[in-house]
Amino acid sequence: LKLGNLYPFIGKAGTKKSIVAQMIALKAAIEGSTVIYFNMEMSAVELFRRTALRLLDLDIYDGIRKGTISEPDLDGIQNKLKDFLSNNFYQVDNSDLTTDEFSSVIEDIEEKNNEKVKLVVVDSMNSMRTIGGSEVMTAFENTKKLKEIAKLHNVAVIMVTHVNAACPLHYRDTSLYARGGQKIMDNCDAWFSISKCIDRDNSR
């Protein structure tokens, strides 16, 4: 991923878009890059659980059910994750945000830590503030502004993007069904179409 570029991850629910974006973000943080993850769809607890599962091979829900993890243990797990990520991973748990608010967070973190932010993940673009009451207008304007943020702050931006209901689960070029229409592709530098292969021998 190049600094200054905008990359949508486009696919249906259940095709693991967020998990792919999270893994890229975690890997970047472990390797020393400052990362901001705008978590706009799942709960903070769920993202914490997924991070612990991937980095520590620890299922928090399962541990609580079995009694091997208690509430006081959670702080220790969180500190272990911060150490693992070298304190480079910043999580913002809000929906209905604007691109101006994204910019403010980037500037605050860079100023506070005297470190350049290298990667921003927006999960998902469809949970950003609606513009003009139109889904198409919202998607087009928000992708345009996210591209401006990528250029202004010289940061790589991943935005998780949903598709409309007509998109088949196994269809390869999911960009054709992007929520908000094809015009959002004009604002992007490249995109990742994510789908499920339902028949390895015959699926096109």
Side-chain angles (χ1 to χ4, degrees):
L1 301 177
K2 292 186 179 294
L3 297 179
N5 282 1
L6 173 63
Y7 303 97
F9 285 16
I10 307 165
K12 279 182 88 81
T15 53
K16 317 297 185 197
K17 302 181 297 298
S18 292
I19 288 175
V20 175
Q22 285 156 20
M23 290 303 292
I24 290 171
L26 295 173
K27 185 173 186 292
I30 289 167
E31 291 176 352
S33 295
T34 302
V35 176
I36 305 173
Y37 197 100
F38 289 97
N39 176 36
M40 302 169 75
E41 292 209 329
M42 73 187 74
S43 70
V45 173
E46 177 58 19
L47 186 52
F48 174 50
R49 184 191 75 84
R50 288 185 182 192
T51 306
L53 191 59
R54 275 161 189 80
L55 298 186
L56 306 176
D57 197 25
L58 182 66
D59 188 330
I60 291 167
Y61 290 175
D62 192 49
I64 290 170
R65 265 195 307 272
K66 290 177 177 172
T68 55
I69 296 173
S70 60
E71 199 169 324
D73 298 324
L74 296 178
D75 283 343
I77 293 168
Q78 197 159 29
N79 289 332
K80 199 179 283 187
L81 288 174
K82 283 181 180 174
D83 289 343
F84 209 111
L85 295 165
S86 308
N87 289 311
N88 289 325
F89 187 86
Y90 294 86
Q91 180 177 326
V92 179
D93 298 302
N94 287 83
S95 59
D96 201 38
L97 295 174
T98 66
T99 47
D100 288 342
E101 288 165 317
F102 291 162
S103 263
S104 295
V105 171
I106 294 168
E107 287 163 7
D108 287 348
I109 288 172
E110 287 185 337
E111 191 177 325
K112 196 180 297 178
N113 300 299
N114 201 24
E115 287 281 344
K116 184 175 171 4
V117 173
K118 295 281 186 71
L119 176 65
V120 168
V121 178
V122 178
D123 186 6
S124 77
M125 187 266 289
N126 305 91
S127 295
M128 290 173 65
R129 186 156 313 158
T130 302
I131 298 170
S134 159
E135 183 180 70
V136 174
M137 170 69 78
T138 296
F140 182 71
E141 287 299 318
N142 281 335
T143 50
K144 190 166 71 175
K145 288 178 178 176
L146 285 171
K147 173 70 174 176
E148 288 167 7
I149 283 177
K151 295 292 182 210
L152 177 67
H153 297 284
N154 194 32
V155 60
V157 177
I158 291 172
M159 64 175 199
V160 175
T161 306
H162 298 301
V163 295
N164 60 48
C167 182
L169 191 61
H170 63 281
Y171 199 80
R172 295 292 176 88
D173 188 1
T174 51
S175 72
L176 298 173
Y177 295 89
R179 189 97 52 88
Q182 276 286 291
K183 282 189 79 66
I184 68 170
M185 299 303 134
D186 296 340
N187 298 324
C188 303
D189 296 284
W191 58 86
F192 296 84
S193 292
I194 301 177
S195 60
K196 284 192 171 181
C197 189
I198 56 171
D199 183 335
R200 292 181 185 279
D201 296 323
N202 300 313
S203 175
R204 299 187 61 198

